[in-house]
Amino acid sequence: MQTLKVDLGDRSYPIFIGQGLLDQGLISPFIKGKQVLIVTNDTIAPLYLERLQKTLTGQFQVDTVILPDGEQYKNVDQINMIFDALLENRHNRTTTLIALGGGVIGDMTGFAAACYQRGVNFVQVPTTLLSQVDSSVGGKTGVNHPKGKNMIGAFHQPQCVVIDTDVLNTLPEKELSAGMAEVIKYGLIYDEAFLCYLEDHIDGLMGLQSDLLEQAIYRSCAVKAEVVAQDEKEAGIRAWLNLGHTFGHAIEADQGYGEWLHGEAVGAGTMMAADLSCRLGWISSSDVDRIRNILEAANLPVFPPESMGVDTFKDLMLVDKKVVDGSIRLVLLQEVGKAIVTSDFPAELLDQTLSAGKKLGSCC
Ligand code: NAD
Ligand code: GLY
């Protein structure tokens, strides 16, 4: 097992990464009271719920809420289901919520924990690659609104994160690709050496070779922990973690949540960010080819949906948490391994990227 620390003063917490951690009782020392509520969904419950329950039963009052599976259910109705379970089972302010699932369950459980009785503890047990390398770390929690993705939420840090890499064996291939989009992101924004590692090992990673995966998860979490420790509330560098996301969120919202996976939309969005960075003269066309190659090797889409035009994109991109005073701010690449957040780009270059379609990345 490898351990990392997210350094946030008295709210610091560990991330445990390794095989078979689900059964090892790592969570119990992080539970302060006598009650826990495990929040999961109807796909993950039959696979992993009983194993987690076994490590807690006998020590705590263990209640469970099983939500419907899917990004389309990441909304306030499901948060109310969690509150119902907490209230029906008389959970008090010392309760701990445990998120057993991917980013949808993690974000909703964290948000419910942030709100219930003005804030209770929670633990992340992420079960998708995306949630293991990104959403379970850093304390961003929340739900979608029909008019915007993740628009309702709170910063609320977990007590610990337990990453059992074995659970990835049951993950659908598309979900593995979606998670790889976020792994690749860390190389692009922060660590070119890590990008080289991914390029060298992408086949083994996609083949779920456990030593390679553990290393990639460790390095991804290490970058995220470093960034979050510097800028917890996203006043600066944390926004780098949104490379490809402003374009990607527009794709997700236009296509309907759940149609394009979040990570797939981030994949296409990353190509759009690379295309614009190239038009601005910051990265070369061979850098763009390199980015396309690694995304394609991870079986990710590299073009947005054909149905989306410039106006549709812009309307949706204006509903973004990075928008300030009506201007779109984007995370772009100053070079491979270094990102920049800026609204300082000619509008016509953005329009060219938004309308490039299948020519994305081939005209700079
Ligand atoms: P998800 O939670 O929808 O999980 C994907 C699918 O895989 C679901 O059907 C789920 O039931 C299933 N699944 C999960 N683990 C499994 C396993 N081990 N075996 C088999 N099936 C399994 O999607 P996700 O990609 O994990 O998360 C996406 C969400 O994360 C989005 O809502 C996004 O906004 C959010 N997100 C949040 C942050 C953050 O910082 N909080 C960062 C990135 C993404
Ligand atoms: N996934 C972006 C962030 O945590 O800031």
Side-chain angles (χ1 to χ4, degrees):
M1 178 173 86
Q2 302 193 67
T3 306
L4 278 163
K5 182 179 170 196
V6 183
D7 209 340
L8 289 169
D10 59 0
R11 288 171 302 110
S12 297
Y13 54 93
I15 305 170
F16 304 113
I17 306 165
Q19 292 183 260
L21 300 195
L22 206 54
D23 307 303
Q24 291 190 11
L26 289 165
I27 297 174
S28 298
F30 295 88
I31 297 171
K32 302 285 180 257
K34 292 191 166 23
Q35 299 172 309
V36 299
L37 178 75
I38 303 174
V39 183
T40 189
N41 74 24
D42 47 19
T43 303
I44 299 153
L47 294 168
Y48 301 115
L49 178 59
E50 201 181 316
R51 282 172 57 192
L52 182 60
Q53 278 169 330
K54 261 192 195 154
T55 67
L56 301 163
T57 313
Q59 303 175 69
F60 306 102
Q61 171 195 330
V62 183
D63 296 305
T64 301
V65 59
I66 300 177
L67 301 176
D69 182 9
E71 181 77 36
Q72 64 274 35
Y73 298 108
K74 187 180 172 183
N75 56 37
V76 285
D77 293 345
Q78 307 312 313
I79 298 297
N80 266 327
M81 298 286 291
I82 301 174
F83 293 152
D84 287 349
L86 287 164
L87 288 164
E88 277 158 18
N89 293 294
R90 297 178 189 277
H91 282 245
N92 58 48
R93 292 177 77 181
T94 65
T95 189
T96 297
L97 275 60
I98 303 178
L100 174 67
V104 169
I105 288 294
D107 282 12
M108 288 200 291
T109 306
F111 185 48
C115 300
Y116 186 67
Q117 300 202 17
R118 300 200 181 90
V120 296
N121 287 346
F122 86 111
V123 165
Q124 290 271 17
V125 185
T127 61
T128 60
L129 179 60
L130 184 142
S131 56
Q132 295 187 344
V133 298
D134 193 350
S135 60
S136 63
V137 175
K140 276 191 184 175
T141 73
V143 292
N144 300 329
H145 185 276
K147 291 197 187 302
K149 169 118 177 118
N150 292 334
M151 278 289 148
I152 317 296
F155 285 98
H156 191 55
Q157 301 292 343
Q159 301 302 298
C160 70
V161 182
V162 177
I163 299 177
D164 183 340
T165 53
D166 283 345
V167 302
L168 299 179
N169 290 321
T170 55
L171 196 64
E173 271 176 40
K174 262 166 83 83
E175 300 291 349
L176 184 71
S177 295
M180 205 53 79
E182 305 284 6
V183 175
I184 293 166
K185 170 187 83 180
Y186 293 114
L188 292 174
I189 61 167
Y190 202 81
D191 185 352
E192 203 211 345
F194 182 46
L195 185 68
C196 294
Y197 173 86
L198 298 174
E199 288 169 331
D200 289 346
H201 298 295
I202 190 68
D203 292 342
L205 287 162
M206 295 308 290
L208 291 176
Q209 218 173 296
S210 54
D211 52 335
L212 297 177
L213 265 177
E214 190 171 322
Q215 198 45 38
I217 292 167
Y218 180 89
R219 185 60 200 147
S220 300
C221 288
V223 173
K224 179 132 192 198
E226 232 172 281
V227 169
V228 168
Q230 285 176 59
D231 178 23
E232 182 186 7
K233 299 275 170 75
E234 200 171 308
I237 193 174
R238 184 163 181 171
W240 289 15
L241 300 173
N242 291 318
L243 177 72
H245 285 56
T246 304
F247 299 106
H249 285 168
I251 294 172
E252 282 183 278
D254 180 71
Q255 301 292 297
Y257 296 125
E259 287 305 310
W260 273 55
L261 299 183
H262 173 75
E264 291 178 321
V266 168
T270 298
M271 268 306 289
M272 298 179 85
D275 179 279
L276 184 52
S277 307
C278 186
R279 288 176 198 277
L280 285 159
W282 296 343
I283 63 171
S284 66
S285 56
S286 62
D287 289 332
V288 179
D289 289 343
R290 187 178 174 195
I291 294 168
R292 185 190 304 102
N293 288 341
I294 184 81
L295 292 170
E296 282 183 338
N299 301 321
L300 285 160
V302 290
F303 304 116
E306 280 176 38
S307 57
M308 287 184 74
V310 175
D311 292 341
T312 311
F313 258 115
K314 278 192 173 163
D315 274 355
L316 292 166
M317 287 166 75
L318 279 165
V319 188
D320 183 272
K321 291 188 282 311
K322 283 184 294 307
V323 167
V324 178
D325 297 332
S327 72
I328 295 173
R329 286 164 75 233
L330 292 171
V331 185
L332 300 175
L333 292 174
Q334 225 165 22
E335 57 192 71
V336 173
K338 187 162 183 231
I340 179 177
V341 184
T342 183
S343 55
D344 188 14
F345 43 79
E348 61 272 20
L349 290 190
L350 175 60
D351 288 359
Q352 285 169 21
T353 293
L354 297 179
S355 59
K358 293 238 152 66
K359 293 213 176 84
L360 199 66
S362 61
C363 43
C364 43

